């Protein structure tokens, strides 16, 4: 990382079967972020774009009737963080990383909560009712690029 202006942290253990291996989410997601931050502090890299997840909102089509936040998500619809109903250990690990990163004083962090990056073309409707929940690779790249050029000083 020596000589780099920024780091984009996309790595995470994905959210399948969180009930079987919950310890992996701590080791890979939370400790993994800590190791990236440690390396950034050693090399003087000052900017981090951390890719979190929309899952920290606890939404999902099956949860809409239970009072959970559902897309589209707006500032007006968001409950306070204390009221969030996390879906699983993955969501909790992402939110824990966000909270920890807020307290790192020597690194300017931008958190992007990108939901499920869609590997197909933008707006693909072959996923039935869930197609609107996915973010295209192109839109994810645009969000990351915007975060990289945003002046955090």
């Amino acid at each position: 990382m020596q000589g780099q202006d920024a780091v984009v942290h996309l790595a995470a253990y994905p959210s399948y079967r969180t009930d079987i291996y919950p310890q992996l989410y701590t080791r890979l997601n939370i400790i993994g972020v800590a190791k990236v931050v440690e390396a950034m502090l050693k090399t003087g890299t000052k900017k981090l774009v951390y890719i979190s997840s929309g899952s920290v909102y606890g939404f999902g089509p099956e949860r809409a009737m239970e009072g959970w936040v559902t897309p589209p998500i707006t500032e007006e619809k968001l409950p306070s963080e204390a009221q969030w109903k996390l879906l699983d250990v993955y969501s909790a690990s992402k939110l824990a990383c966000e909270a920890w990163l807020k307290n790192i004083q020597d690194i300017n962090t931008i958190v992007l909560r990108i939901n499920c990056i869609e590997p197909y073309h933008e707006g693909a409707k072959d996923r039935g009712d869930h197609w609107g929940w996915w973010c295209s690779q192109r839109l994810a790249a645009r969000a990351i690029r915007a975060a990289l050029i945003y002046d955090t000083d």
Side-chain angles (χ1 to χ4, degrees):
M1 285 185 217
Q2 190 71 38
Q4 300 304 310
D5 294 328
V7 171
V8 178
H9 188 290
L10 293 146
Y13 191 70
S15 65
Y16 345 109
R17 303 305 312 258
T18 60
D19 55 327
I20 296 177
Y21 302 111
Q23 67 278 9
L24 284 177
Y25 293 89
T26 299
R27 191 173 79 228
L28 298 176
N29 293 355
I30 298 172
I31 295 172
V33 168
K35 288 182 178 187
V36 168
V37 167
E38 180 181 5
M40 290 178 71
L41 292 170
K42 283 181 181 176
T43 61
T45 306
K46 298 287 185 191
K47 186 172 192 174
L48 172 65
V49 178
Y50 175 67
I51 308 305
S52 185
S53 171
S55 69
V56 301
Y57 298 120
F59 61 75
E62 68 283 357
R63 306 257 187 319
M65 299 307 291
E66 300 174 21
W68 296 46
V69 177
T70 55
I73 297 170
T74 63
E75 292 293 323
E76 295 78 32
K77 284 179 70 173
L78 283 178
S80 70
E81 289 184 27
Q83 296 172 316
W84 288 356
K85 300 173 184 178
L86 297 175
L87 294 174
D88 53 25
V89 176
Y90 170 79
S91 304
S93 73
K94 287 297 204 171
L95 193 58
C97 289
E98 287 184 29
W100 182 69
L101 288 168
K102 286 180 187 177
N103 295 301
I104 307 297
Q105 295 183 9
D106 294 332
I107 296 176
N108 296 315
T109 301
I110 294 176
V111 174
L112 298 177
R113 291 179 176 157
I114 298 177
N115 202 46
C116 300
I117 297 175
E118 171 64 64
Y120 305 112
H121 63 87
E122 186 174 335
K125 295 186 180 184
D126 59 348
R127 292 197 169 282
D129 291 339
H130 303 288
W131 72 271
W133 297 64
W134 295 73
C135 178
S136 73
Q137 293 172 343
R138 182 174 43 182
L139 289 178
R142 285 182 188 169
I144 293 166
R145 182 170 166 235
L148 286 169
I149 62 175
Y150 181 76
D151 186 8
T152 56
D153 292 327

